[in-house]
Amino acid sequence: MSGAGSPKVDVDGTGLRIAIVAASWHEPVMNGLIDGAARACAQANVEAVLYRVPGSFELPVVAQACAESFDAVVCLGVIIRGGTPHFEFVAGAATDGLTRVALDTRTPVGFGLLTCDTEEQALDRAGLPDSREDKGAEATWAAIMTAVTLRGVRSAD
Ligand code: DLZ
């Protein structure tokens, strides 16, 4: 199970604005991830704006643009291995790109990129009624908690 040991996060994000950047491949899984992210934002009292990109490879460039005007960015995507070397290229480029965006812009990036062997595994993590995990919500809570922490660090300067 990929989520073993994950923390229970419940923070108040009042006043934060968050961009949710979501890829479009594997629609049923994406719908679950986006709903989970929206639920977490509502629960944390955070204002959220959704932007769509074609595939996970395009997440970093839009995340970078969003990082200029939002308190945090949540990136959602699904990459299924499917026996193609594209898996490694797309997953590696998206992961490296999102890490760079967070550090270069000093803006939290919630990492909601599922990399799975099969669509069934992805559905199991998508926050749907029959899923065991809710990775869209998890990535969103991580971004919100990090933004709240950074707000505290910066106000202590
Ligand atoms: C090309 C590609 C492949 C093979 N698989 C996926 C995938 O499983 N998930 C995903 O989000 N995107 C995939 N893509 C598309 C790339 O992310 C990208 O959109 C295209 O290469 C065009 O730049």
Side-chain angles (χ1 to χ4, degrees), residues 23-26 54-58 77-80 84 86-87 90 113:
S24 305
W25 282 57
H26 311 291
S56 296
F57 186 81
E58 285 75 35
V78 183
I79 310 177
I80 308 286
T84 159
H86 252 96
F87 175 90
V90 174
L113 182 60

Side-chain angles (χ1 to χ4, degrees), residues 9-19 37-49 70-72 74 108 140-152:
V9 181
D10 186 5
V11 288
D12 181 8
T14 300
L16 295 179
R17 285 182 74 241
I18 297 238
R39 270 196 307 274
C41 286
Q43 214 174 315
N45 201 27
V46 163
E47 182 189 337
V49 182
F70 287 87
D71 298 296
V74 179
T140 305
W141 281 116
I144 294 169
M145 183 177 172
T146 308
V148 169
T149 299
L150 280 176
R151 192 163 60 179

Side-chain angles (χ1 to χ4, degrees), residues 97-109:
L98 293 178
T99 306
R100 237 185 76 190
V101 168
L103 296 177
D104 289 355
T105 66
R106 299 162 181 245
T107 303
V109 175

